[in-house]
């Protein structure tokens, strides 16, 4: 891949805005459980959620995997985890882990699925894909949700679209090609709100 066409992460989510990540209206996602189920998270899975932030999707992941499954919610910034800990710290099937997803420290090959929402655009994608490959069991599911083209997004306020500026997004064409070129097989692709959000599954 031409190096000019690689994704260069340009921001890290501001932890003072952690609470905004829990507001379904701001997130444009009324039903996180429906989203994670659509993305292939099913009963009994052992799931790693990378960049869980304040935990907007964590409860939905726990519900989707049910009693036979478990979830590790991993996050780089301690301040982001405070809200998740308040709500779910004592959940018996959840482990909360403060770590860099590029060096997760998680068991090799021990996980059925890796779920990454609105986070991959903040990291070096190639390195992240290597670490994800390491922790997934052979044939395990990588499920990514992120910001697509700004054009499809509603306006937050006049003249300002929801989501990060388009130059800071990891747009679907680039990610899908990067997945292919790193040996992943795309198994599903979908868009929400005219491409404002997209999701990709790969194995
Ligand atoms: C926009 S937030 C999304 C949080 C959550 N996935 C959600 O959808 O509500 C992105 C999160 O990824 C985290 N993050 C960024 N780089 C990371 C890394 N290298 N390792 C772990 N987490 C990271 C940020 O701290 C932030 O909490």
């Amino acid at each position: 891949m031409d190096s000019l066409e690689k994704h260069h992460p340009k921001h890290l989510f501001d932890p003072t805005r952690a609470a905004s990540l829990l507001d379904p209206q701001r997130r444009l996602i009324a039903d996180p459980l429906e989203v994670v189920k659509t993305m292939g998270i099913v009963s009994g899975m052992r799931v790693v959620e990378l960049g869980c932030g304040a935990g907007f999707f964590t409860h939905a992941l726990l519900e989707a995997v049910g009693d036979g499954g478990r979830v590790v919610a991993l996050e780089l910034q301690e301040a982001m985890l405070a809200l998740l800990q308040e709500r779910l710290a004592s959940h018996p099937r959840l482990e909360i882990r403060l770590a860099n997803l590029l060096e997760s420290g998680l068991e090799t090959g021990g996980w059925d699925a890796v779920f990454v929402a609105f986070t991959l655009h903040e990291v070096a994608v190639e390195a992240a894909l290597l670490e994800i490959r390491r922790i997934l069991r052979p044939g395990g599911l990588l499920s990514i949700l992120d910001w697509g083209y700004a054009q499809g997004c509603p306006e937050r306020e006049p003249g300002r679209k929801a989501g990060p500026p388009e130059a800071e997004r990891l747009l679907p064409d680039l990610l899908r090609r990067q997945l292919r070129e790193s040996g992943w097989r795309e198994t599903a692709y979908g868009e929400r709100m005219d491409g404002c959000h997209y999701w990709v599954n790969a194995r």
Side-chain angles (χ1 to χ4, degrees):
M1 184 188 297
D2 186 322
S3 62
L4 289 173
E5 292 171 352
K6 279 188 180 154
H7 174 72
H8 299 285
K10 295 174 192 68
H11 70 259
L12 184 61
F13 195 86
D14 172 2
T16 64
R17 292 175 49 229
S20 72
L21 287 179
L22 292 178
D23 178 349
Q25 217 168 348
R26 280 194 67 86
R27 305 303 306 275
L28 307 171
I29 295 177
D31 187 348
L33 179 58
E34 185 261 329
V35 170
V36 306
K37 283 184 169 171
T38 301
M39 290 171 66
I41 304 301
V42 297
S43 174
M45 275 180 166
R46 297 158 298 166
V47 178
V48 177
E49 181 187 11
L50 296 177
C52 64
F56 181 76
F57 288 101
T58 311
H59 189 257
L61 290 169
L62 284 162
E63 275 194 57
V65 301
D67 287 344
R70 58 183 285 232
V71 175
V72 172
L74 180 148
E75 167 58 46
L76 178 68
Q77 305 191 78
E78 199 164 6
M80 299 296 294
L81 289 177
L83 291 167
L84 173 60
Q85 261 150 350
E86 252 172 48
R87 291 181 308 137
L88 287 174
S90 59
H91 196 290
R93 289 183 287 103
L94 174 66
E95 179 192 329
I96 298 173
R97 181 179 279 247
L98 181 65
N100 186 336
L101 69 84
L102 300 177
E103 297 171 349
S104 70
L106 290 164
E107 177 195 346
T108 299
W111 305 92
D112 300 310
V114 167
F115 177 88
V116 201
F118 303 108
T119 293
L120 221 46
H121 67 271
E122 296 187 12
V123 304
V125 178
E126 269 179 287
L129 291 177
L130 285 175
E131 179 64 354
I132 293 168
R133 165 84 74 216
R134 185 188 71 74
I135 64 176
L136 273 180
R137 69 165 167 76
L141 171 70
L142 166 58
S143 208
I144 300 162
L145 173 64
D146 220 311
W147 291 101
Y149 292 94
Q151 191 188 341
C153 296
E155 289 194 339
R156 214 29 114 213
E157 54 200 56
R160 210 188 127 241
K161 296 280 191 178
E166 194 163 286
E168 300 187 14
R169 300 180 183 206
L170 169 58
L171 293 172
D173 293 351
L174 186 55
L175 174 61
R176 294 172 87 186
R177 201 178 50 177
Q178 188 146 7
L179 283 166
R180 265 197 314 276
E181 292 181 358
S182 335
W184 294 81
R185 178 174 55 88
E186 184 176 307
T187 54
Y189 175 81
E191 294 183 350
R192 309 180 67 249
M193 294 176 301
D194 297 325
C196 172
H197 293 167
Y198 71 95
W199 60 274
V200 189
N201 281 356
R203 294 187 183 262

